[in-house]
């Protein structure tokens, strides 16, 4: 199946439709909530939470004996929340730094989870296999009920986000100040972290424990490059996430033996790369272009300022001078001179140049100090 | 004392990180309507004192009263200007948006800012000379401009007491002049201002009240009475000579 076949099948094949919708919704909710992680500089929290969810999955299986997604994800949710809680209290109550606490909990929970998984694999029970799909995810197992749950969670988190928009924005920017204005920052923190945990747990089935944090971070990091407005950033992150989900599913469905989760993550990473290079203003390319353009402009003005100093010695600013007196030391080339003429800053007659009134003004402004902010 | 009414009364305030005291048994009475500097060496607990008063840091002992009541009951009367370095200035927002945040407290939960809030934010921006920068992304502001934005955000709160943590840090002379002018205007309008300050040279010129702090409260009172070599030496530990005209 190639990509075009995939897209024609998308609307006729039920399973494919469900999977695509699922990954799109997952990408959108992760992008939206991931923006908060990125802006709070808590990017690694998502990674720790997703790893902390693994023992919950294994324990849920051991306790219930079923592999029903909902039971397993409930286990994941509980152990993910427990891990998050531990991280926060380690940071609060000991002198350990945030990254240390994250690393500790991540490896502790993940190690315990792996231990349980190997234990389960040795059990004399026909029902055991398949839990390891939660390591890297398996989008093909998405059922329509799973997608309904995802849509439900996305709807609720969008509602809460809009409801507490002002408070959450304040918390992101300046938590101490938020507290002094009388808002309960603990409540806001629990609210936003709770939704992030929920989104991670929902993604485990599709993307898996190991790669889940990329779903949160990549769309948000890409979106940040394109805008300087929080609302636009969150919206873009959701779009990027959904796009990664759809394109990732399409690519993996049209090739054999490409699992969906990693492909989705790679697509998202591709978006990050594109954004870093091509975004206006913040992109590497735009900055490079700006640098060269500024340098060119500066060269022009350098030549102009030499002319300005020469012209200053005469009563008539437009007194003609020989081109010869300008030389390479002053950044002069024939091209520069033509550019200056194009801008109407100088006039060239034969092998003589003269400054125009406009050029004189321009050079004068060049020497004025920066527009200082108003004294009041 | 020209005003007997107390804006802030602190009793036995002690703050510690682990077993190490940062503030030890602070008693402080700050009368209403003063422009007060808190001075002291690095690590003296100046910022901590402000944060403890504002409930950002929990003291292990002591009480703080704002106009005779606990801080929680008086939030609306208090505005805070944190140190500029405590926030991420690359946050995706504009100058106007940051100043609007000053109105969030009076709005309370959920309610969105409207035209009235926008108007008062614009007025505050004009007051600090930053109206022309209202739509500027905050990362594209200079250090002095960022400080002005923070001041404008506090002005919007229309409080009775202002706490400012090093508002002159990393700003140029123009901005420093502009800020002190606003602070003096606020004092003349009867507001109380508490400013963590580092430049001892300017204390007599800028402030009319001063608190010397070095873990303990060394002295507190009118600048003209207590800003002297004796207190400076007690606070900074070295033999201090004020080469300043009082």
């Amino acid at each position: 199946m190639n990509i075009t076949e995939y897209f024609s099948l998308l609307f006729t094949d039920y399973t494919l439709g469900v999977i695509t919708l699922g990954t799109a919704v997952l990408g959108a909710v992760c992008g939206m909530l991931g923006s908060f992680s990125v802006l709070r500089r808590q990017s690694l929290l998502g990674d720790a939470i997703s790893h902390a969810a693994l023992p919950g999955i294994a324990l849920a299986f051991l306790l219930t004996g079923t592999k029903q997604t909902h039971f397993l994800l409930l286990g994941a949710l509980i152990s993910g929340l427990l891990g998050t809680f531990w991280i926060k209290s380690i940071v609060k109550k000991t002198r350990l730094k945030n990254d240390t606490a994250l690393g500790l909990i991540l490896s502790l929970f993940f190690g315990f989870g792996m231990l349980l998984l190997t234990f389960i694999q040795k059990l004399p029970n026909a029902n055991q296999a398949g839990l390891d799909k939660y390591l890297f995810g398996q989008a093909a197992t998405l059922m329509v009920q799973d997608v309904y749950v995802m849509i439900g969670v996305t709807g609720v988190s969008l509602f809460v986000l809009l409801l507490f928009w002002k408070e959450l924005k304040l918390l992101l920017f300046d938590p101490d100040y938020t507290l002094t204005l009388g808002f309960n920052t603990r409540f806001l923190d629990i609210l936003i972290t709770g939704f992030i945990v929920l989104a991670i747990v929902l993604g485990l089935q599709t993307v898996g424990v190991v790669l889940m944090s990329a779903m949160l971070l990549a769309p948000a990091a890409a979106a940040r490059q394109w805008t300087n407005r929080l609302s636009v950033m969150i919206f873009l992150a959701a779009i990027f996430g959904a796009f990664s989900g759809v394109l990732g599913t399409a690519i993996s469905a049209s090739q054999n033996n490409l699992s969906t989760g990693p492909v989705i993550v790679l697509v998202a990473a591709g978006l990050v790369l594109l954004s870093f290079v091509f975004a206006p203003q913040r992109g590497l390319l735009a900055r490079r272009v700006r640098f060269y353009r500024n340098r060119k402009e500066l060269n022009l003005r350098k030549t102009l300022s030499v002319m300005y100093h020469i012209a200053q010695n005469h009563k008539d600013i437009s007194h003609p001078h020989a081109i010869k007196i300008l030389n390479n030391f002053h950044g002069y080339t024939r091209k520069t001179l033509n550019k200056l003429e194009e801008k109407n800053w100088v006039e060239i007659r034969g092998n003589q140049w003269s400054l125009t009134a406009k050029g004189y003004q321009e050079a004068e402004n060049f020497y004025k100090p920066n527009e200082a902010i108003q004294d009041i | 004392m020209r005003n007997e009414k107390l804006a802030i009364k602190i009793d036995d305030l002690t703050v510690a990180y682990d077993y190490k005291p940062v503030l030890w048994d602070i008693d402080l009475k700050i009368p209403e309507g003063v422009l007060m500097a808190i001075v002291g060496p690095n690590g003296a607990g100046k910022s901590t004192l402000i944060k403890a008063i504002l409930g950002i840091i929990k003291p292990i002992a002591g009480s703080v009263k704002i106009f005779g009541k606990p801080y929680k009951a008086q939030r609306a009367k208090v505005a805070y200007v944190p140190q500029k370095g405590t926030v991420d200035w690359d946050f995706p927002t504009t100058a106007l948006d940051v100043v609007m945040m000053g109105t969030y407290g009076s709005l309370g939960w959920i309610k969105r800012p409207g035209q009235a809030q926008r108007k008062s934010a614009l007025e505050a921006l004009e007051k600090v000379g930053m109206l022309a920068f209202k739509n500027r992304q905050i990362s594209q502001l200079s250090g002095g401009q960022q400080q002005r934005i923070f001041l404008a955000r506090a002005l919007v709160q229309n409080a009775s007491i202002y706490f400012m943590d090093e508002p002159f840090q990393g700003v140029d002379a123009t901005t420093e002049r502009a800020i002190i002018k606003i602070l003096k205007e606020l004092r003349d309008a009867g507001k109380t201002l508490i400013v963590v300050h580092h430049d001892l040279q300017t204390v007599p010129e800028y402030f009319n009240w001063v608190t010397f702090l070095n873990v303990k409260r060394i002295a507190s009172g009118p600048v003209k009475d207590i800003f002297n070599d004796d207190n400076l030496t007690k606070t900074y530990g070295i033999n201090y000579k004020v080469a300043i005209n009082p």
Side-chain angles (χ1 to χ4, degrees):
Chain A
M1 181 163 71
N2 63 32
I3 292 237
T4 32
E5 278 168 7
Y6 163 81
F7 278 108
S8 57
L9 265 179
L10 189 54
F11 297 100
T12 49
D13 186 275
Y14 181 73
T15 319
L16 206 56
V18 167
I19 295 171
T20 307
L21 185 62
T23 51
V25 172
L26 179 70
V29 70
C30 285
M32 191 167 86
L33 294 168
S35 303
F36 287 84
S37 294
V38 168
L39 290 175
R40 292 184 80 185
R41 288 181 268 184
Q42 291 186 338
S43 303
L44 282 175
L45 185 63
D47 206 23
I49 293 171
S50 66
H51 282 77
L54 189 62
I57 292 172
L59 282 175
F61 172 75
L62 284 174
L63 288 176
T64 63
T66 75
K67 277 195 298 187
Q68 274 207 347
T69 322
H70 300 123
F71 284 115
L72 299 186
L73 289 187
L74 193 66
L77 182 65
I78 292 169
S79 89
L81 284 172
L82 194 69
T84 315
F85 178 73
W86 276 9
I87 290 166
K88 299 232 171 198
S89 41
I90 286 177
V91 173
K92 212 169 164 191
K93 289 183 182 140
T94 73
R95 310 197 66 148
L96 290 178
K97 297 278 176 288
N98 201 28
D99 55 337
T100 317
L102 287 172
L104 265 176
I105 294 298
L106 184 152
S107 33
L108 186 73
F109 274 66
F110 189 62
F112 184 50
M114 288 304 287
L115 192 80
L116 288 175
L117 279 193
T118 41
F119 172 71
I120 288 168
Q121 265 164 19
K122 300 229 167 77
L123 282 181
N125 179 346
N127 197 17
Q128 76 220 29
L131 278 191
D132 52 345
K133 77 172 189 213
Y134 285 97
L135 282 178
F136 297 104
Q138 201 172 357
T141 59
L142 274 179
M143 311 272 261
V144 72
Q145 306 94 283
D146 304 331
V147 177
Y148 286 150
V149 174
M150 282 181 189
I151 292 174
V153 169
T154 309
V156 174
S157 57
L158 186 64
F159 175 74
V160 169
L161 196 75
L162 291 175
L163 191 67
F164 295 111
W165 175 255
K166 159 175 126 259
E167 289 80 9
L168 289 171
K169 183 163 75 173
L170 196 58
L171 179 78
L172 288 181
F173 179 61
D174 197 344
D176 278 357
Y177 187 69
T178 311
L179 195 67
T180 68
L181 290 186
F183 295 106
N184 187 336
T185 48
R186 243 178 94 86
F187 165 74
L188 290 169
D189 184 33
I190 290 171
L191 193 70
I192 193 69
T193 313
F195 275 108
I196 289 173
V197 175
L198 209 55
I200 287 172
V201 168
L202 286 179
L204 293 181
Q205 194 186 353
T206 315
V207 181
V209 164
V210 179
L211 290 175
M212 193 50 215
S213 69
M215 286 296 286
L216 284 172
L217 307 184
R224 179 66 190 93
Q225 292 300 105
W226 297 90
T227 177
N228 278 328
R229 281 181 59 191
L230 181 63
S231 50
V232 180
M233 174 184 164
I234 292 176
F235 179 72
L236 269 182
I239 299 282
F240 286 171
F243 176 79
S244 311
V246 174
L247 189 62
T249 310
I251 293 172
S252 99
S254 39
Q255 311 290 328
N256 282 331
N257 304 324
L258 278 185
S259 58
T260 314
V263 178
I264 293 176
V265 168
L266 283 177
V267 171
L271 283 177
V272 173
L273 197 68
L274 284 178
S275 305
F276 279 171
V277 177
F278 294 109
Q281 282 188 35
R282 293 170 74 96
L284 292 175
L285 202 65
R287 265 154 54 183
R288 215 65 208 149
V289 167
R290 231 175 12 246
F291 175 77
Y292 283 116
R293 203 188 297 141
N294 287 345
R295 203 163 69 170
K296 248 190 186 156
E297 275 291 305
L298 201 66
N299 253 338
L300 269 189
R301 271 146 221 267
K302 226 162 78 185
T303 311
L304 186 71
S305 74
V306 172
M307 296 169 152
Y308 170 79
H309 285 300
I310 296 170
Q312 263 186 329
N313 295 331
H314 293 266
K315 251 193 184 145
D316 173 19
I317 53 159
S318 294
H319 184 88
H321 302 272
I323 288 178
K324 258 195 291 185
I325 59 170
L326 301 166
N327 59 42
N328 277 328
F329 291 106
H330 296 130
Y332 153 77
T333 61
R334 188 73 213 189
K335 231 167 106 192
T336 329
L337 210 56
N338 289 340
K339 273 265 165 61
L340 286 169
E341 196 184 20
E342 246 169 62
K343 287 186 184 259
N344 259 336
W345 288 347
V346 297
E347 268 173 38
I348 300 173
R349 281 213 190 89
N351 51 8
Q352 299 225 300
W353 60 266
S354 60
L355 218 50
T356 64
K358 199 177 157 204
Y360 190 83
Q361 194 56 48
E362 186 67 35
E364 204 157 53
N365 286 341
F366 187 56
Y367 278 102
K368 270 192 195 144
N370 275 337
E371 49 147 354
I373 45 171
Q374 277 166 271
D375 200 358
I376 47 172
Chain B
M1 209 183 284
R2 71 197 164 95
N3 195 332
E4 291 301 330
K5 198 176 162 196
L6 285 186
I8 300 164
K9 186 168 181 290
I10 299 170
D11 289 305
D12 309 323
L13 186 76
T14 298
V15 176
Y17 296 137
D18 297 334
Y19 54 86
K20 192 174 174 285
V22 184
L23 292 173
W24 186 253
D25 202 17
I26 305 282
D27 292 315
L28 200 57
K29 285 176 184 156
I30 305 170
E32 191 182 12
V34 297
L35 175 49
M36 182 182 100
I38 303 177
V39 297
N42 292 330
K46 303 184 293 292
S47 298
T48 307
L49 177 60
I50 287 188
K51 286 183 180 169
I53 295 172
L54 294 173
I56 297 169
I57 292 175
K58 291 235 174 324
I60 55 172
S63 82
V64 175
K65 291 270 162 43
I66 312 264
F67 294 120
K69 289 186 196 147
Y71 168 65
K72 275 193 177 153
Q74 303 280 38
R75 272 189 215 282
K77 291 184 179 157
V78 175
Y80 173 46
V81 181
Q83 273 187 34
K84 191 157 56 68
T86 55
V87 303
D88 174 15
W89 287 96
D90 195 36
F91 190 80
T93 192
T94 60
L96 178 61
D97 216 29
V98 172
V99 178
M100 293 269 273
M101 288 176 185
T103 67
Y104 288 6
S106 61
L107 282 168
W109 287 92
I110 295 168
K111 220 176 144 211
R112 296 293 178 92
Q115 277 310 311
Q117 282 72 28
R118 198 183 140 85
K119 194 168 154 267
S120 57
L122 288 172
E123 278 166 15
L125 272 172
E126 177 153 40
K127 200 148 202 274
V128 299
M130 288 287 294
L131 195 57
F133 297 86
K134 65 175 197 263
N135 293 324
R136 194 67 81 81
Q137 214 284 318
I138 53 171
S139 65
Q140 287 159 11
L141 299 171
S142 71
Q145 292 169 332
Q146 290 171 347
Q147 192 65 60
R148 287 178 186 225
I149 292 298
F150 258 19
L151 179 60
R153 185 176 71 170
L155 289 178
V156 166
Q157 288 180 254
N158 199 12
S160 306
I161 304 179
Y162 291 81
F163 290 94
M164 307 191 177
D165 204 342
E166 302 200 25
F168 305 118
Q169 191 187 43
V171 306
D172 62 14
T174 316
T175 292
E176 181 157 337
R177 252 195 335 266
I179 291 175
I180 198 64
K181 186 172 164 237
I182 292 172
L183 300 195
K184 283 181 173 172
E185 277 170 19
L186 287 170
R187 179 197 59 196
D188 295 342
K191 316 277 188 185
T192 310
L193 300 105
I194 290 107
V195 182
V196 172
H197 193 58
H198 256 304
D199 182 11
L200 294 171
Q201 306 284 335
T202 52
V203 168
E205 185 193 334
Y206 290 175
F207 299 94
N208 64 352
W209 208 265
V210 62
T211 291
F212 290 94
L213 188 74
N214 192 352
V215 183
K216 294 175 185 176
R217 192 204 78 158
I218 311 291
S220 182
V223 170
K224 61 177 166 31
D225 299 341
I226 69 157
F227 194 72
N228 53 39
D229 294 352
D230 186 32
N231 281 325
L232 283 165
T233 307
K234 274 189 205 157
T235 308
Y236 288 86
I238 43 169
N239 206 356
Y240 224 99
K241 282 272 175 289
V242 202
I244 318 165
N245 19 327

